[in-house]
Amino acid sequence: MRTPNPSSGAPRTAPADLSHAHDSAPRPRRRLAIPVPRGRLAWITGVASSIWLAANTLFWCLLLFPMALLKLALPFAAVRRRVDPVLNGIATAWVSCNTGWFVRIQPQAWDIQGNKDLRYADWYLVNCNHQSWVDIFVLQYSLNRRIPLLKFFLKQQLIYVPVIGLAWWALDFPFMKRHGKAALRKNPDLGRQDQEAARRACAKFSLVPTSVMVFAEGTRFSEDKRASQGSPYRHLLKPKAGGLAVSLNAMGERFRSMIDVTIAYPDGAPSFWDFACGRAGQVVVRMRQLPVPPAFCEADYTRDKAFRTTFHQWLGQQWQAKDDEIEALVSRGKKSAG
């Protein structure tokens, strides 16, 4: 097991002006303050952002698909080791273009701490809370070119999304079928099928440096979902341990560390349209690297009841700390705004 290199502890207090800052990056050039788009200007910005995102996606996918066909035609590990880095590089360029645009239209929004001591040529497990589709853009901006391309667990239905669904398949994003509790009680094998699919995906990831991204809540947070779950947390749903546990069991020895990411929106979680219009409000991101316990890489989550209990307790402690941190970040952001 490789010795993790935990973050040395970024300051936990947010800068008063919520400036755009990365811990490990050189100090960025000062950007001119851009007023938050309003009214018709916001609508025009949103349309321009949507067109840019669609055109940028189509451009990079046209470069990606020929390499994907080569990988499909020659499904050998030696070929994958050469083709996968090219595919990941194309996707990374796509992410860079997207984030460059979104940051440009709202440079005042970002407060990011803890994304240092990371290595691009390594493996990471990333765990984050989930409030909005905007979370994905926030994560990509915070971690792009600092760690390998983030690979998400996706719903099986998303493979049919035009263009981008095929791109996700080419990049080996794992597609999972979501089964309700009633279906799982009736047929427990359904859950094991998803876990086996995750294992197969992780086996592919072991060939080249990869970042496996997990939203442990399994869905976006809302007050209605929190109430229906009876969640004990103020800002989070109950975490689902299966995806994390399977990833650790399949690839734990590869992971340099687990990056625990907390995203908070003191002005309220923005929709994609708000984000595209340049009205995201404050975006606060805190990260810390956690060592991967060696026992988690060896135990069988599906069959070992004692390990499941231990794992749930460990994840529950992480989730309580995350909930407390979100409460502090949201409160601090509201005070600074007032």
Side-chain angles (χ1 to χ4, degrees):
M1 175 85 182
R2 194 178 315 183
T3 303
N5 182 17
S7 170
S8 58
R12 309 304 282 183
T13 55
D17 63 349
L18 292 174
S19 59
H20 164 217
H22 287 282
D23 285 352
S24 59
R27 179 170 297 187
R29 293 177 298 173
R30 183 179 296 276
R31 290 191 175 100
L32 295 176
I34 299 176
V36 176
R38 301 184 186 280
R40 182 173 298 179
L41 179 59
W43 185 86
I44 293 172
T45 302
V47 171
S49 296
S50 300
I51 293 173
W52 168 259
L53 182 61
N56 188 48
T57 298
L58 183 60
F59 173 79
W60 290 107
C61 282
L62 289 175
L63 298 181
L64 183 143
F65 290 153
M67 299 300 297
L69 291 174
L70 176 62
K71 186 170 73 169
L72 180 64
L74 300 171
F76 308 113
V79 175
R80 292 184 63 91
R81 288 192 181 95
R82 289 167 174 78
V83 172
D84 282 354
V86 177
L87 291 170
N88 291 337
I90 292 171
T92 297
W94 171 74
V95 169
S96 297
C97 291
N98 287 339
T99 57
W101 170 264
F102 286 125
V103 172
R104 182 60 187 164
I105 63 175
Q106 46 203 352
Q108 73 285 352
W110 306 89
D111 173 16
I112 303 172
Q113 295 180 16
N115 57 346
K116 66 178 182 178
D117 297 331
L118 302 172
R119 301 200 315 187
Y120 188 72
D122 221 322
W123 284 260
Y124 291 95
L125 178 62
V126 182
N127 185 26
C128 184
N129 60 306
H130 194 17
Q131 303 170 73
S132 164
W133 279 109
V134 174
D135 298 341
I136 295 173
F137 292 101
V138 171
L139 284 164
Q140 288 176 336
Y141 173 53
S142 304
L143 292 168
N144 191 41
R145 300 190 185 277
R146 297 176 180 275
I147 64 175
L149 181 72
L150 294 169
K151 302 289 181 75
F152 298 83
F153 288 85
L154 299 169
K155 296 179 183 178
Q156 181 69 33
Q157 299 90 322
L158 292 178
I159 197 172
Y160 301 110
V161 175
V163 181
I164 193 66
L166 185 58
W168 283 328
W169 169 83
L171 291 165
D172 291 321
F173 279 55
F175 290 93
M176 314 289 286
K177 294 179 180 178
R178 297 287 177 84
H179 303 288
K181 292 182 179 179
L184 289 172
R185 281 196 296 267
K186 187 175 181 179
N187 184 4
D189 286 338
L190 294 176
R192 286 190 281 272
Q193 289 173 11
D194 266 357
Q195 291 167 3
E196 186 57 35
R199 290 183 192 279
R200 289 196 299 270
C202 289
K204 296 177 183 177
F205 295 159
S206 67
L207 295 175
V208 297
T210 304
S211 302
V212 179
M213 174 67 223
V214 178
F215 288 120
E217 292 162 292
T219 186
R220 284 166 287 170
F221 174 88
S222 72
E223 286 294 340
D224 289 342
K225 292 176 184 176
R226 187 181 77 87
S228 65
Q229 273 192 356
S231 172
Y233 309 107
R234 291 159 292 184
H235 305 281
L236 301 167
L237 302 178
K238 293 178 180 178
K240 298 179 180 180
L244 274 174
V246 170
S247 299
L248 287 169
N249 185 252
M251 285 183 62
E253 293 185 356
R254 284 283 191 182
F255 291 132
R256 179 177 176 83
S257 64
M258 186 178 92
I259 304 175
D260 180 60
V261 184
T262 299
I263 300 176
Y265 302 103
D267 300 317
S271 66
F272 170 76
W273 182 247
D274 290 328
F275 190 65
C277 291
R279 302 179 304 199
Q282 302 174 71
V283 179
V284 185
V285 184
R286 296 293 181 267
M287 304 183 194
R288 56 178 180 153
Q289 290 190 66
L290 302 176
V292 176
F296 288 8
C297 307
E298 302 167 359
D300 188 337
Y301 180 83
T302 59
R303 294 182 174 86
D304 189 336
K305 184 176 180 180
F307 170 66
R308 284 201 302 274
T309 300
T310 299
F311 193 85
H312 289 165
Q313 291 173 345
W314 175 82
L315 185 56
Q317 292 171 356
Q318 309 300 331
W319 230 238
Q320 185 59 61
K322 186 182 296 293
D323 192 54
D324 293 341
E325 185 168 40
I326 294 174
E327 177 68 20
L329 292 170
V330 169
S331 299
R332 187 180 305 134
K334 289 179 178 178
K335 288 179 181 178
S336 65

